[in-house]
Amino acid sequence: QLNLLRANIAIVLQDVFLFSDTIHNNITLGNKNITREEVILAAKAVGADGFISKLPDTYDYTIGERGGALSVGQRQLLAFIRAYLYNPVILILDEATSSLDTESEELIQKATDKLTQNRTSIIIAHRLSTIQKADKIVVLEKGEIVELGTHKVLLKKGGYYKNLFDKQFLEEGK
């Protein structure tokens, strides 16, 4: 049953673990059943083919230890490609957009939109831009649910979520 769970759930964490290996092998995790064509199609689907194609040796480019040769956003995109390839029933994004620059955040947001289509997705985020399109937002404070609803409903409510949103919007506008 553990294998069944693993086959149906994908997790994209804030800190992506990468091996000192090729882009291709980091995406497939060494699974020989995944073809280069499938990797390229997945990379295009999540918007990562552009940066990979510009690397020397493209998908055969060897990244350094823990992906040191790549930006934080590029490492995140590789994790999104992995998740997309494995086509999970349930997707968990745990702070997958924190510590990204604006350009990377836009790419990751598009990848998130693509990846969350037609599947149950649990998105854990402090950046509210990441969760605005969610069907249901659960606002937690010290482990307790303080509000529940859609982005629009929670903004209209004028409570905790609205205060967080306004504060984040003001900080990002500076």
Side-chain angles (χ1 to χ4, degrees), residues 23 47-55 70 73-75 77-78 81:
I23 295 279
D49 183 65
F51 93 83
I52 295 171
S53 296
K54 291 176 186 163
L55 294 171
L70 304 176
Q74 291 169 333
R75 291 193 298 262
L77 284 169
L78 293 183
I81 299 168

Side-chain angles (χ1 to χ4, degrees), residues 10-14 16 18 27 42-43 45-48 72-88 91-97 100 104-105 107-116 119 123 130:
I11 301 173
V12 178
L13 301 171
Q14 176 180 359
V16 179
L18 296 172
I27 291 169
V46 300
V72 173
Q74 291 169 333
R75 291 193 298 262
Q76 282 299 92
L77 284 169
L78 293 183
F80 275 76
I81 299 168
R82 277 181 193 163
Y84 186 85
L85 266 174
Y86 283 91
N87 196 22
L91 174 68
I92 301 170
L93 302 178
D94 188 356
E95 291 291 352
T97 61
L100 294 177
S104 294
E105 185 179 4
L107 281 172
I108 295 293
Q109 192 57 53
K110 288 178 184 174
T112 301
D113 292 346
K114 182 72 175 179
L115 200 54
T116 56
R119 70 177 38 108
I123 303 171
T130 307

Side-chain angles (χ1 to χ4, degrees), residues 3 10 20-21 56 58 64 74 76 78 94 96-97 135 160 169 173:
N3 287 339
S20 183
D21 202 339
T58 64
Q74 291 169 333
Q76 282 299 92
L78 293 183
D94 188 356
T97 61
D135 295 329
Y160 196 88
F169 183 73

Side-chain angles (χ1 to χ4, degrees), residues 2 5 13-14 17 27-28 34 38 42 62-63 82 84 88 93 124 149 151-152 166-167 169 171:
L2 187 56
L5 276 175
L13 301 171
Q14 176 180 359
F17 186 83
I27 291 169
T28 63
I34 299 172
E38 290 171 316
T62 300
I63 57 175
R82 277 181 193 163
Y84 186 85
L93 302 178
I124 303 159
H151 174 72
K152 286 182 181 180
D166 290 345
K167 183 179 177 189
F169 183 73
E171 287 176 5

Side-chain angles (χ1 to χ4, degrees), residues 18-38:
L18 296 172
F19 305 96
S20 183
D21 202 339
T22 65
I23 295 279
H24 178 87
N25 289 341
N26 269 284
I27 291 169
T28 63
L29 298 174
N31 183 339
K32 303 292 184 204
N33 295 322
I34 299 172
T35 68
R36 175 63 57 102
E37 184 177 291
E38 290 171 316

Side-chain angles (χ1 to χ4, degrees), residues 53-172:
S53 296
K54 291 176 186 163
L55 294 171
D57 301 324
T58 64
Y59 290 85
D60 292 319
Y61 178 71
T62 300
I63 57 175
E65 193 66 35
R66 298 195 47 80
L70 304 176
S71 73
V72 173
Q74 291 169 333
R75 291 193 298 262
Q76 282 299 92
L77 284 169
L78 293 183
F80 275 76
I81 299 168
R82 277 181 193 163
Y84 186 85
L85 266 174
Y86 283 91
N87 196 22
V89 175
I90 299 171
L91 174 68
I92 301 170
L93 302 178
D94 188 356
E95 291 291 352
T97 61
S98 66
S99 68
L100 294 177
D101 57 78
T102 307
E103 183 181 327
S104 294
E105 185 179 4
E106 287 175 24
L107 281 172
I108 295 293
Q109 192 57 53
K110 288 178 184 174
T112 301
D113 292 346
K114 182 72 175 179
L115 200 54
T116 56
Q117 280 179 352
N118 303 318
R119 70 177 38 108
T120 299
S121 302
I122 300 167
I123 303 171
I124 303 159
H126 283 90
R127 252 191 201 172
L128 301 183
S129 59
T130 307
I131 59 170
Q132 287 180 18
K133 296 177 185 172
D135 295 329
K136 185 182 289 186
I137 297 171
V138 179
V139 183
L140 298 172
E141 170 68 17
K142 297 179 184 172
E144 300 288 324
I145 296 174
V146 292
E147 287 183 320
L148 190 69
T150 64
H151 174 72
K152 286 182 181 180
V153 167
L154 291 173
L155 285 180
K156 279 184 185 176
K157 202 175 198 180
Y160 196 88
Y161 181 86
K162 170 97 167 79
N163 290 337
L164 286 173
F165 183 82
D166 290 345
K167 183 179 177 189
Q168 220 169 82
F169 183 73
L170 285 172
E171 287 176 5
E172 288 176 5

